[in-house]
Amino acid sequence: LEKRVGNLEKKAKGGDKEAKLTLDLVLRAKVLLEEGKPARHTKRPPEEEKAFAMLQLLTALPVLYVCNVNEADAARGNAQSKSVQARAKQESAACVIICAQMEAEFAALSDKDQAEFLAAAGLDESGLNRLIHAGYDLLGLQTFFTVGPKEARAWTIHKGWTAPQAAGIIHTDFEKGFIRAETIAYEDYVKCNGEQGAKEAGKMRLEGKDYVVREGDVMHFRFSS
């Protein structure tokens, strides 16, 4: 950042608005770095996010700490993992506690045995699932599904994306020619035993271009070619 300041100052004095914005961001991040704090703590409004990302600062990246503990501490953690959690909180980072040994045993079990295994350990879900959820939350991601007679697929998108943007993940033509999205909430899809049951129960919705996709939506896109 120190190397960039001089060049940015010259451009900013010459009336370059983009350079002025970047210089302001650089100076704000530089103060934090000099204090030994990560650049992701730099205060910035949403409209500065793109310029901030262009700085490509390593400590601007989100961080997820994973604590590997023994089986006895898998549910509540221990003194060491609590220290890591405290550090993560200071850094606005995420932290997940898992027991790798238990995860290896868990992966080899049937669905029924997995449920009993988790209950005996005092856990609601596996460490792998908690790790996935924490990673998605940290990156602002979510999942929607497409289901057909031959396969079901999960698609990863950013939270806040609209139906056409989600359709574009499957194929760009889907976004360009988007008409509507036949949408079923995940819970309704499972409860009604699939698409036909959801339709009969009145749980299928027709959503337009402004619809913001929700976590777990099951979607069928209509588009014009």
Side-chain angles (χ1 to χ4, degrees):
L1 291 183
E2 288 174 348
K3 291 179 180 178
R4 299 184 195 183
V5 171
N7 188 41
L8 286 170
E9 284 179 336
K10 290 178 182 178
K11 290 183 178 180
K13 288 178 182 178
D16 189 325
K17 292 182 179 179
E18 187 176 335
K20 187 176 181 180
L21 170 63
T22 304
L23 176 63
D24 189 35
L25 278 170
V26 165
L27 294 176
R28 271 183 273 158
K30 185 169 171 287
V31 170
L32 288 171
L33 294 172
E34 288 171 343
E35 293 174 354
K37 298 176 182 178
R40 60 181 171 276
H41 286 181
T42 304
K43 292 182 180 180
R44 57 199 186 274
E47 57 267 24
E48 291 184 348
E49 283 298 337
K50 185 176 180 180
F52 185 72
M54 294 291 287
L55 297 180
Q56 297 185 311
L57 303 177
L58 185 60
T59 60
L61 297 175
V63 171
L64 171 61
Y65 289 97
V66 182
C67 303
N68 181 25
V69 300
N70 59 38
E71 190 170 337
D73 297 323
R76 296 182 180 83
N78 54 33
Q80 287 81 12
S81 66
K82 287 175 181 176
S83 294
V84 176
Q85 285 177 315
R87 174 63 179 269
K89 188 175 181 180
Q90 289 176 355
E91 297 181 3
S92 299
C95 183
V96 175
I97 299 170
I98 66 170
C99 172
Q101 182 179 346
M102 286 178 62
E103 289 300 305
E105 296 172 6
F106 178 83
L109 300 175
S110 65
D111 290 346
K112 181 182 178 181
D113 289 340
Q114 284 183 349
E116 294 176 356
F117 185 89
L118 290 174
L123 298 169
D124 295 326
E125 60 181 345
S126 70
L128 177 59
N129 280 353
R130 284 184 282 114
L131 181 61
I132 291 170
H133 291 157
Y136 266 53
D137 287 340
L138 195 63
L139 298 173
L141 302 175
Q142 65 180 13
T143 301
F144 77 92
F145 299 96
T146 54
V147 181
K150 293 185 178 180
E151 67 171 3
R153 286 196 62 176
W155 304 86
T156 299
I157 61 171
H158 289 278
K159 291 179 181 178
W161 276 22
T162 60
Q165 288 176 301
I169 290 293
I170 301 173
H171 198 288
T172 53
D173 287 348
F174 286 18
E175 181 175 5
K176 292 175 182 176
F178 179 89
I179 299 173
R180 65 179 182 271
E182 297 174 354
T183 307
I184 306 170
Y186 177 81
E187 293 78 9
D188 292 332
Y189 188 91
V190 174
K191 185 178 179 180
C192 298
N193 296 314
E195 182 179 326
Q196 189 58 40
K199 282 183 178 179
E200 293 172 356
K203 297 298 184 180
M204 175 179 281
R205 314 183 308 273
L206 295 179
E207 302 292 358
K209 293 182 178 181
D210 296 330
Y211 176 69
V212 177
V213 180
R214 300 171 188 169
E215 171 68 29
D217 276 348
V218 179
M219 310 186 80
H220 180 72
F221 298 105
R222 298 290 184 182
F223 69 101
S224 60
S225 56

